[in-house]
Amino acid sequence: MPDFSPEARRSAIWATDARKLAQGRQVQVYLEKIGQEVPEDISHIEAVQWGLRLQEPIARAVGDRLNVQLKELDVEGTHRDHKWMRSHFDFVSADGKTLFEIKNYNGAARSKFGDDGTSSVPAADLAQCLHEAAVYGVMDVRLCVLFGGQELCIFPIDADTASQEALILQEAALWAHIQRKQPP
């Protein structure tokens, strides 16, 4: 069972932190990691609760559409070389080669994405997928988004080595600031 305690969250850079970094919120992540700021608790928000409830049915629909078997990954992972890099995962293909990140977004978010089947996604979603791919050790991620409860889109993310390394360098630089307690 994943550990979402404040201590665990401060012990590493997580995929949700990668989202914040892509949104230009490095200082916020830094302050959270050194314990000067408490991450916002969003567990009480109904949209977040529905997103969690709908993960499994969305994943089942994705598996049906792609004709693949998905396995739930209710685990935490640590990057093999960078122990400060951790992640939780949603689902993985039966062969373990493709991660599936499941999202339930409102209909208004649809305009921020490209066409179904393309890799045109917002920077925060891309950063989260690249982070998860790096931690899990794969090159293939599918960002699966149900928009407004009505449109399921699957965005293939090629998490190539160069993209993963660029993200790792950015995160490593921030982690060094955190370890020295020097703001970025």
Side-chain angles (χ1 to χ4, degrees):
M1 184 73 179
D3 181 2
F4 294 104
S5 70
E7 296 78 21
R9 302 303 297 176
R10 285 194 301 268
S11 71
I13 293 182
W14 297 82
T16 52
D17 298 319
R19 292 183 66 82
K20 293 175 186 176
L21 295 176
Q23 296 167 329
R25 297 164 42 197
Q26 291 83 352
V27 173
Q28 179 186 356
V29 173
Y30 168 81
L31 292 172
E32 289 173 358
K33 298 302 172 190
I34 66 165
Q36 293 297 309
E37 193 171 299
V38 177
E40 180 184 6
D41 177 10
I42 59 172
S43 64
H44 66 283
I45 298 173
E46 190 169 13
V48 171
Q49 294 169 357
W50 274 109
L52 293 172
R53 286 184 188 115
L54 292 174
Q55 273 189 343
E56 197 277 323
I58 294 169
R60 195 170 45 245
V62 168
D64 290 347
R65 180 183 292 180
L66 298 178
N67 197 29
V68 297
Q69 182 183 4
L70 302 184
K71 298 186 311 185
E72 186 174 9
L73 277 178
D74 191 20
V75 298
E76 294 176 355
T78 302
H79 191 282
R80 68 180 183 284
D81 298 323
H82 307 291
K83 302 306 179 199
W84 49 264
M85 206 172 166
R86 304 204 60 207
S87 188
H88 300 107
F89 311 100
D90 291 340
F91 291 84
V92 67
S93 59
D95 65 7
K97 294 181 180 179
T98 305
L99 288 176
F100 290 81
E101 177 62 28
I102 307 297
K103 300 288 187 189
N104 178 44
Y105 288 159
N106 67 49
R110 181 65 182 95
S111 64
K112 298 175 184 174
F113 290 77
D115 292 335
D116 182 24
T118 69
S119 59
S120 180
V121 301
D125 291 290
L126 178 61
Q128 179 178 2
C129 290
L130 289 173
H131 182 101
E132 291 172 356
V135 171
Y136 198 73
V138 297
M139 303 287 229
D140 192 18
V141 181
R142 298 288 181 262
L143 176 62
C144 310
V145 185
L146 180 63
F147 293 103
Q150 299 175 340
E151 182 185 7
L152 177 61
C153 295
I154 302 171
F155 302 95
I157 306 297
D158 178 18
D160 60 81
T161 302
S163 298
Q164 288 185 32
E165 287 176 0
L167 181 73
I168 290 169
L169 285 175
Q170 179 187 14
E171 291 181 4
L174 178 61
W175 190 250
H177 283 282
I178 292 164
Q179 295 306 295
R180 293 189 309 263
K181 292 198 172 34
Q182 292 179 327

